[in-house]
Amino acid sequence: MITAVAVLAALTLFVAACGTGGTGARDEGPARSDSVAGAASPAVSTTGARVDAVRLVKDDPAVSADVKRELKPCVGDEYPVDVSYGDLTGASSDDVVVNVLTCGDAVGIGSYVYREEGGSYRNVFKAEQPPLYAEIDRGALVVTRQVYEKGDRLASPSGEEVTTYLWTTDRFVRKFSTRTDYSKAVGGEPTPVPGN
């Protein structure tokens, strides 16, 4: 009987964990202000399929000083950036999505989209309200943010917000937004097995 209850409890926790969505640990951390904007960016050559994302962010005047200060190597010359390439804006070459993370706990502190225009990349989207993470999903830009309320532990946010942006003419426009509030009844202290 005790084994059956333990197996059922483990299965329930597994299913609940799989259904929470988000992009994992990189979504966690404290919240700051957010801005979404297009801004002039430094000229970076578009020759070749890949860009130097670290240089792109560091040379970008639209990126906040706080994010630039955090953008330093974690180990050796390895920087905490995730880079995705894909078609978001209909440009002649792939757009570049850059997520800047913290070294210790991989919290997303800044997300940016760069569009190739005339041989260089221009910042056409920025979000700097951690914890956040931007992804390309079927031609749309999807930004996920963990939501914390007072007293929440880093590993236990109160919920998450997922916002979908679509490229319209010359900028990203917010099209959809959903918020999920996580239950406080699960994931807390372990529950003793009945009968013990």
Side-chain angles (χ1 to χ4, degrees):
M1 175 70 173
I2 292 173
T3 304
V5 170
V7 169
L8 181 59
L11 181 59
T12 302
L13 287 174
F14 175 74
V15 170
C18 290
T20 58
T23 55
R26 70 186 74 211
D27 289 333
E28 299 175 351
R32 287 196 315 222
S33 64
D34 174 66
S35 60
V36 175
S41 295
V44 174
S45 172
T46 60
T47 58
R50 300 294 177 246
V51 299
D52 182 346
V54 173
R55 179 177 164 220
L56 196 60
V57 170
K58 284 190 171 191
D59 292 347
D60 186 350
V63 175
S64 74
D66 289 341
V67 171
K68 288 181 182 181
R69 188 171 31 258
E70 289 290 325
L71 184 54
K72 55 190 172 196
C74 297
V75 177
D77 62 352
E78 296 294 322
Y79 283 84
V81 293
D82 286 348
V83 184
S84 301
Y85 300 87
D87 183 14
L88 287 169
T89 68
S92 59
S93 62
D94 282 345
D95 300 301
V96 182
V97 177
V98 180
N99 287 286
V100 178
L101 314 169
T102 60
C103 283
D105 46 17
V107 171
I109 58 173
S111 296
Y112 311 92
V113 177
Y114 294 94
R115 182 176 200 257
E116 189 273 329
E117 294 179 354
S120 64
Y121 283 94
R122 180 173 69 94
N123 181 325
V124 292
F125 178 91
K126 83 171 187 174
E128 295 178 330
Q129 181 186 2
L132 78 165
Y133 197 82
E135 300 174 283
I136 300 170
D137 184 6
R138 292 169 285 184
L141 176 65
V142 178
V143 179
T144 303
R145 290 185 182 88
Q146 296 293 336
V147 177
Y148 289 84
E149 294 177 1
K150 187 174 181 177
D152 285 348
R153 293 175 298 151
L154 185 63
S156 300
S158 291
E160 76 176 8
E161 292 179 351
V162 179
T163 306
T164 301
Y165 298 90
L166 296 176
W167 183 257
T168 305
T169 310
D170 63 348
R171 63 189 174 96
F172 282 99
V173 176
R174 180 179 161 166
K175 289 294 183 182
F176 313 102
S177 186
T178 60
R179 178 177 168 139
T180 303
D181 291 324
Y182 299 148
S183 170
K184 296 295 184 184
V186 295
E189 295 299 315
T191 305
V193 176
N196 283 346

